[in-house]
Amino acid sequence: MPRKLGIDNTQYQHQFTRRWFLNRNYPTFVEYILPKYKSQPTFYFEIGVFEGMSPVSMMQPVLLHPKSKAVATDPHLATRKLNGETMEDVRSRAIHNIKPYADKCKLFRFNSIEIMRKMHDRGGFAGVKKDTLDLAMIDGDHTDLAAWSDARMVLPLLKPGGWMLWDDVENDKAKKNHVKDG
């Protein structure tokens, strides 16, 4: 019997407080990403994991091939909306949520610029270097310049034909200097 798509929480007791990824992005992942990547070895990189829902959603139905792996980064710093203590709780949930996949998914506490500088160095970082990524998700700083900078630095890390994805391109309300402007 085929497994239902979405996050299987019966075995791991994930701790998600928000369902943004499942509510907004998951249908697109099922339509475009799942058919392309689920049956082949895939190297995935994600900037901005929050509680880890997006990497977990990738690990369960998409990155099932034994040679698939993921690298994720988030500085988990205070924002305009969330203070430092709240972000430490968010980080704790991210670590808990990604832990069942620790053999395939590595979570780092870096901002995107610092981790990608390491990836662009001669030896790369965490297995990521030029032309190694199949798929990358940019969901970090949601300002136009940050999204543009992240995309610019991820592009050389993608294999030819690799896919780069962005979160929060379209929102309920138009925002100035936001991801789409980048």
Side-chain angles (χ1 to χ4, degrees):
M1 183 166 135
R3 186 162 60 84
K4 180 182 172 192
L5 294 175
I7 292 177
D8 177 2
N9 205 25
T10 57
Q11 186 176 2
Y12 300 119
Q13 298 305 306
H14 294 102
Q15 299 171 357
F16 300 116
T17 62
R18 300 169 188 195
R19 296 184 55 82
W20 62 268
F21 180 80
L22 292 176
N23 293 340
R24 293 191 327 214
N25 296 0
Y26 202 71
T28 302
F29 269 56
V30 168
E31 184 175 352
Y32 296 102
I33 304 305
L34 190 59
K36 180 167 176 64
Y37 291 104
K38 80 171 184 174
S39 61
Q40 64 182 7
T42 301
F43 198 175
Y44 174 69
F45 174 53
E46 182 165 329
I47 298 170
V49 301
F50 197 64
E51 294 175 328
M53 184 175 283
S54 177
V56 168
S57 295
M58 291 296 291
M59 296 308 298
Q60 286 190 3
V62 179
L63 302 177
L64 295 175
H65 191 282
K67 292 185 179 180
S68 289
K69 57 186 174 179
V71 173
T73 189
D74 197 310
H76 289 103
L77 298 174
T79 67
R80 288 178 288 155
K81 296 177 183 178
L82 302 170
N83 65 34
E85 186 177 322
T86 301
M87 288 308 294
E88 285 303 315
D89 291 341
V90 167
R91 177 169 167 70
S92 292
R93 285 191 297 277
I95 291 167
H96 170 83
N97 292 330
I98 293 173
K99 188 175 183 178
Y101 314 99
D103 60 325
K104 294 177 86 169
C105 182
K106 303 299 178 207
L107 175 62
F108 293 96
R109 189 173 198 168
F110 288 111
N111 67 39
S112 59
I113 298 296
E114 287 305 315
I115 197 168
M116 285 190 285
R117 277 186 188 156
K118 291 177 177 294
M119 291 171 175
H120 281 272
D121 283 346
R122 191 176 4 197
F125 179 75
V128 181
K129 56 187 176 184
K130 186 177 184 217
D131 295 333
T132 57
L133 296 174
D134 298 290
L135 188 59
M137 169 71 137
I138 298 174
D139 187 18
D141 183 331
H142 289 77
T143 63
D144 55 352
L145 293 178
W148 175 82
S149 176
D150 286 348
R152 187 172 171 265
M153 289 188 78
V154 165
L155 192 59
L157 302 173
L158 286 171
K159 291 178 181 175
W163 287 14
M164 189 182 322
L165 314 167
W166 289 265
D167 185 45
D168 292 315
V169 173
E170 295 289 334
N171 289 293
D172 296 340
K173 298 177 185 176
K175 296 180 179 182
K176 264 189 131 138
N177 303 324
H178 205 252
V179 174
K180 191 172 186 176
D181 297 323

